[in-house]
Amino acid sequence: EGDMLALMDTIQRAYYAGTDSGNMLNAFAKLAPALDTIRMKGLDAANAMAPLLVMADQSGMDGSAAGNALRKVLQKNMDTGKIAEVMAGLNKATGAKLSLNFTDGKGEFGGLEKMFVEMAKLKNLTTETRLQVLKDLYGDDAEVMQVVSLLINKGQAGYNETLAKMQAQANLQDRVNKQLGTLRNLW
């Protein structure tokens, strides 16, 4: 309840950065179960996830689909046994020495920055190998693959760029004050 105004500010910043507000709300609703996975709540979670949802919206994804796909990716990133199995198979087949670990080393999510670093490792694989690894790690769901592709291709730089665009927007209170300060409203 105490975060509601700040949450609405985050959503309006995303809206003015070019994202449909209905998509944002639907995305947050579907993403909510993953917040326990990443150990974030409330406004902190909304502010961290909003740029990812804006990126997904701007790539043409429906809000519910984007939120659900991001939830699946975050949860699958914590399946260290499956990840180790897939990486072992890849390394045996190709002779590579690639490893992925999205945790903090203590069984918790390592954070968005670490996720981007780990995802970037997949860029160097051949398309054939990368597609097989992604299918083995995340399944064959089109929306999940679209989110994973965004995370790999846009990465930390894309996230930071989107965050900067959102932060460049006027805050909600400034917009309200501007509306209330018009000559018509003053009269």
Side-chain angles (χ1 to χ4, degrees):
E1 185 178 325
D3 290 341
M4 191 53 71
L5 186 60
L7 174 61
M8 292 311 297
D9 184 53
T10 296
I11 291 172
Q12 73 87 28
R13 285 175 188 266
Y15 174 79
Y16 284 102
T19 301
D20 180 78
S21 57
N23 268 351
M24 286 294 289
L25 292 172
N26 291 336
F28 278 125
K30 295 293 184 179
L31 181 60
L35 300 182
D36 286 338
T37 303
I38 63 171
R39 299 277 183 198
M40 293 180 105
K41 295 278 184 212
L43 188 58
D44 290 336
N47 287 336
M49 295 293 117
L52 295 173
L53 298 174
V54 169
M55 290 164 61
D57 179 84
Q58 291 178 349
S59 74
M61 289 189 79
D62 169 73
S64 294
N68 194 41
L70 190 53
R71 173 193 61 81
K72 289 177 182 178
V73 168
L74 291 169
Q75 289 173 336
K76 287 176 186 266
N77 282 352
M78 295 304 294
D79 188 350
T80 55
K82 175 75 169 184
I83 292 170
E85 178 185 316
V86 171
M87 293 296 100
L90 168 71
N91 292 337
K92 184 177 179 184
T94 64
K97 289 184 171 57
L98 184 65
S99 67
L100 297 176
N101 185 345
F102 298 96
T103 72
D104 63 358
K106 300 172 190 165
E108 301 298 339
F109 182 65
L112 292 178
E113 287 181 17
K114 178 153 188 185
M115 180 180 73
F116 285 121
V117 167
E118 295 300 298
M119 288 288 197
K121 293 177 181 179
L122 299 171
K123 267 186 168 180
N124 299 326
L125 299 174
T126 66
T127 302
E128 178 183 28
T129 303
R130 184 175 56 252
L131 290 175
Q132 187 59 53
V133 167
L134 293 178
K135 184 177 178 184
D136 292 345
L137 289 175
Y138 300 105
D140 202 20
D141 182 81
E143 289 150 347
V144 170
M145 287 295 107
Q146 190 171 353
V147 164
V148 169
S149 179
L150 271 174
L151 295 174
I152 292 171
N153 295 325
K154 296 233 180 225
Q156 184 75 54
Y159 179 88
N160 291 344
E161 180 183 331
T162 303
L163 183 60
K165 284 180 186 175
M166 289 176 62
Q167 290 172 340
Q169 301 302 316
N171 70 31
L172 186 58
Q173 191 62 53
D174 289 344
R175 290 189 194 280
V176 169
N177 290 344
K178 188 173 182 179
Q179 283 284 339
L180 294 177
T182 63
L183 185 58
R184 182 177 185 175
N185 282 330
L186 290 174
W187 275 104

